[in-house]
Amino acid sequence: MKPQAPHCQSCQFKDSSLFKQCHLHELEELNESKCFNSYKKGQVIFHEGNRPLGIFCVYSGKVKVSRMGSDGKEQIIRLAKKGDTLGYRSLIDNTKYTASAIALDETEVCFIPAAEFNKLVDENVKVSTDLMKMLARALGDTQDKLIHLAMKPVRERLAEALLLLKSTYQEEGKNPFSISISREDLSSIVGTAKETVIRFLSEFKEDGIITTHGSEITILNPEKLVKISSMYD
Amino acid sequence: MKPQAPHCQSCQFKDSSLFKQCHLHELEELNESKCFNSYKKGQVIFHEGNRPLGIFCVYSGKVKVSRMGSDGKEQIIRLAKKGDTLGYRSLIDNTKYTASAIALDETEVCFIPAAEFNKLVDENVKVSTDLMKMLARALGDTQDKLIHLAMKPVRERLAEALLLLKSTYQEEGKNPFSISISREDLSSIVGTAKETVIRFLSEFKEDGIITTHGSEITILNPEKLVKISSMYD
DNA sequence: TTCAAAAACTGATAAAACTCATATTTTCCG
DNA sequence: CGGAAAATATGAGTTTTATCAGTTTTTGAA
């Protein structure tokens, strides 16, 4: 039997999530309206083109947010981890999802219906202020990605992507950092072909920066990756 | 003598700007604290790395928001026109500007100090809601740019850039659309080298899609550009 | 444990875009 | 108006990255 999500009032993320500034009675109501779900690796949490019906809070696992090109090529826009909020942009902008969210691991997510989310945002200024800052930060991050995609060659972007994975998913005290990720997904983060990613990974291996065992990548020397990623900054 | 900005209460954009939902007394206060400025072509409105002290409302002219790479290559993140708001992301996120705003034409801008802006956002929920939507839209737009940069070849991105210029800057009834823009700036929108832009522009000219006179580009056949830009959508 | 499918890897070649060099045109300042 | 500086335009050659084809390794289920 899988562990169910705890009550919102005792959630691991109650002091760090978007709802960290909620009152107890708000958390109580949130808890009543939320809906807990599990997703296996590869399962779709929400799909490009659909109408958003609420937002998602990741409780455990890893999620990619990505868009599919007509040629079947995928571009990953964001990586989400436990504690992160998903799908809020479309809801606020009142548009269909422009990207899909897909579990990269066994992932647990709470769904919060639009009505409840909107109520909370309307009634609690602190929540709406935090939401605004979250949007501003996301915009800044996306602009950074845009700039790097435009200005940096693949080798540097790959180094950066590995550092992003590390900074996003490294658990406290787990050193060195390891992650299991397909070369396909990695290439969709970097914005290049998977063969190109593989070639540069081989180079990084030769330089002792990483090691791999199957799809598992271990980062031995993050400092070198920092150097590579900011070669021309 | 240059025309000064009118009072905020009679501003051309009082019903379409970020402040469209303000009360009269709020517009009055806004008017008191605002500061009107003119910029010649090429002049910097705010500069990458500086701390934001307020936000900017474009009253007339054209503005590019761009970041400079260490190799001197520029990437344009956004094009702003009259009625647009500039510099709000950094202010909300409480970070230094990550890009610069530069006048592309003779441009007039109102500066609104951070204190006044924050007060308005805090006191008027409608303003903060609109601001939130503006951020959400900007995030969506930037994600689109990212996807296109990753997935579309230069020819398609150039077609898209020309359509962006048209949809942003075409004045009511002025047909066909013409704009004076350096190949350098155009390449900084597309994210490519200026020679590459020039080559594809020549191709578009041969196909009768555009004509040029010096740096002036006239779009004769926007439909063909739409087709080219979405070749693989 | 075995075996088949999937994924990682490697090599060869092709395509896209960049750089550099240079010619031509436009701009604009005196 | 003339001429220098700047910008546009074009060509050749190189670099980067993508594509395709094939081999090896890993993975996961029977």
Side-chain angles (χ1 to χ4, degrees):
Chain A
M1 185 73 187
K2 283 281 163 54
Q4 286 296 309
H7 194 287
C8 288
Q9 288 184 23
S10 51
C11 175
Q12 181 183 359
F13 307 109
K14 78 171 168 56
D15 296 320
S16 59
S17 77
L18 176 59
F19 305 108
K20 59 178 175 290
Q21 307 224 47
C22 281
H23 298 294
L24 279 180
H25 74 270
E26 288 172 326
L27 286 182
E28 181 57 47
E29 202 181 311
L30 196 60
N31 188 63
E32 289 302 317
S33 63
K34 79 156 196 280
C35 174
F36 181 82
N37 263 306
S38 287
Y39 299 86
K40 290 194 201 314
K41 182 174 173 174
Q43 283 191 325
V44 173
I45 299 168
F46 60 76
H47 196 279
E48 199 174 341
N50 289 351
R51 283 229 164 269
L53 301 172
I55 64 157
F56 300 86
C57 295
V58 181
Y59 182 69
S60 73
K62 302 184 179 71
V63 179
K64 65 175 173 185
V65 180
S66 66
R67 203 182 297 188
M68 215 67 182
S70 54
D71 53 354
K73 207 177 284 179
E74 185 186 30
Q75 177 66 32
I76 293 178
I77 290 171
R78 169 151 103 104
L79 293 171
K81 61 171 186 296
K82 59 188 182 182
D84 285 349
T85 312
L86 284 179
Y88 57 93
R89 204 231 8 116
S90 299
L91 198 64
I92 292 164
D93 201 15
N94 193 32
T95 57
K96 293 176 180 175
Y97 289 123
T98 53
S100 305
I102 296 162
L104 289 173
D105 269 352
E106 174 76 25
T107 295
E108 299 171 303
V109 176
C110 286
F111 172 79
I112 294 152
E116 176 62 21
F117 175 70
N118 288 327
K119 189 180 169 198
L120 218 47
V121 171
D122 285 348
E123 289 178 358
N124 191 328
V125 190
K126 287 180 176 174
V127 173
S128 85
T129 302
D130 283 350
L131 179 58
M132 196 131 85
K133 288 189 179 176
M134 204 162 86
L135 276 162
R137 188 131 337 128
L139 179 53
D141 288 348
T142 307
Q143 286 177 355
D144 284 351
K145 285 207 178 84
L146 182 74
I147 294 290
H148 294 162
L149 189 57
M151 311 223 277
K152 290 183 178 185
V154 172
R155 194 176 118 97
E156 295 176 34
R157 302 208 308 273
L158 175 59
E160 196 162 65
L162 292 171
L163 290 171
L164 173 69
L165 286 166
K166 178 171 144 68
S167 69
T168 307
Y169 293 126
Q170 185 165 35
E171 303 272 344
E172 190 72 34
K174 283 216 178 176
N175 236 306
F177 172 72
S178 277
I179 189 169
S180 181
I181 185 172
S182 74
R183 303 303 177 257
E184 191 96 49
D185 276 341
L186 195 46
S187 74
S188 299
I189 298 172
V190 174
T192 189
K194 66 170 183 294
E195 295 92 335
T196 306
V197 159
I198 290 171
R199 272 179 249 279
F200 283 114
L201 284 180
S202 301
E203 197 185 304
F204 290 171
K205 275 187 270 185
E206 280 166 26
D207 296 344
I209 299 170
I210 61 168
T211 57
T212 66
H213 300 92
S215 69
E216 182 101 357
I217 297 173
T218 303
I219 298 181
L220 301 174
N221 196 335
E223 293 79 16
K224 275 197 182 173
L225 287 178
V226 171
K227 253 190 204 163
I228 291 169
S229 73
S230 56
M231 204 70 106
Y232 300 111
D233 278 347
Chain B
M1 185 74 187
K2 283 280 161 55
Q4 286 295 310
H7 194 286
C8 288
Q9 288 183 23
S10 51
C11 175
Q12 181 184 359
F13 308 108
K14 78 171 166 57
D15 295 321
S16 59
S17 77
L18 176 58
F19 306 108
K20 59 178 174 289
Q21 308 224 46
C22 281
H23 298 294
L24 278 181
H25 74 270
E26 288 172 324
L27 285 182
E28 181 57 48
E29 201 181 310
L30 195 60
N31 188 62
E32 289 302 317
S33 63
K34 78 155 197 281
C35 174
F36 181 82
N37 263 306
S38 287
Y39 299 87
K40 289 192 203 314
K41 181 175 174 174
Q43 283 192 323
V44 173
I45 299 168
F46 59 77
H47 197 280
E48 197 175 342
N50 288 353
R51 283 228 163 271
L53 301 171
I55 65 158
F56 300 86
C57 295
V58 181
Y59 182 71
S60 74
K62 302 184 180 71
V63 180
K64 66 175 173 185
V65 180
S66 67
R67 203 182 297 189
M68 214 69 181
S70 55
D71 53 354
K73 207 176 285 178
E74 184 186 31
Q75 177 66 33
I76 293 178
I77 290 171
R78 168 150 103 105
L79 293 171
K81 60 169 186 295
K82 59 186 182 184
D84 285 348
T85 312
L86 284 180
Y88 56 93
R89 204 226 14 112
S90 299
L91 198 64
I92 292 165
D93 200 17
N94 193 32
T95 58
K96 292 175 179 175
Y97 289 124
T98 53
S100 305
I102 296 163
L104 289 172
D105 269 351
E106 173 77 24
T107 296
E108 298 171 302
V109 176
C110 286
F111 171 80
I112 294 152
E116 176 63 21
F117 175 70
N118 288 328
K119 190 181 168 198
L120 218 48
V121 172
D122 285 348
E123 288 178 0
N124 191 328
V125 190
K126 286 179 178 175
V127 173
S128 85
T129 301
D130 283 351
L131 180 58
M132 196 130 87
K133 287 188 179 176
M134 203 162 86
L135 276 162
R137 188 132 336 128
L139 179 53
D141 289 348
T142 307
Q143 286 177 354
D144 285 351
K145 285 207 178 83
L146 182 74
I147 294 290
H148 294 161
L149 188 59
M151 312 223 275
K152 290 184 177 183
V154 171
R155 193 177 119 97
E156 295 177 35
R157 302 207 309 272
L158 175 59
E160 195 162 66
L162 291 172
L163 290 171
L164 172 70
L165 287 166
K166 177 171 145 69
S167 68
T168 307
Y169 294 125
Q170 184 165 35
E171 304 271 345
E172 191 71 35
K174 284 218 178 173
N175 235 306
F177 171 71
S178 277
I179 189 168
S180 181
I181 184 170
S182 75
R183 303 304 177 259
E184 191 96 48
D185 276 341
L186 195 47
S187 73
S188 300
I189 299 172
V190 174
T192 190
K194 67 170 180 296
E195 293 93 334
T196 306
V197 159
I198 290 170
R199 271 179 250 279
F200 283 113
L201 284 179
S202 300
E203 198 185 304
F204 290 170
K205 274 188 269 185
E206 282 167 26
D207 297 346
I209 300 171
I210 62 168
T211 57
T212 68
H213 300 92
S215 68
E216 184 100 356
I217 298 173
T218 304
I219 298 181
L220 301 174
N221 196 335
E223 294 79 16
K224 275 196 183 175
L225 288 178
V226 171
K227 252 189 205 163
I228 291 169
S229 73
S230 56
M231 204 69 107
Y232 299 112
D233 277 348

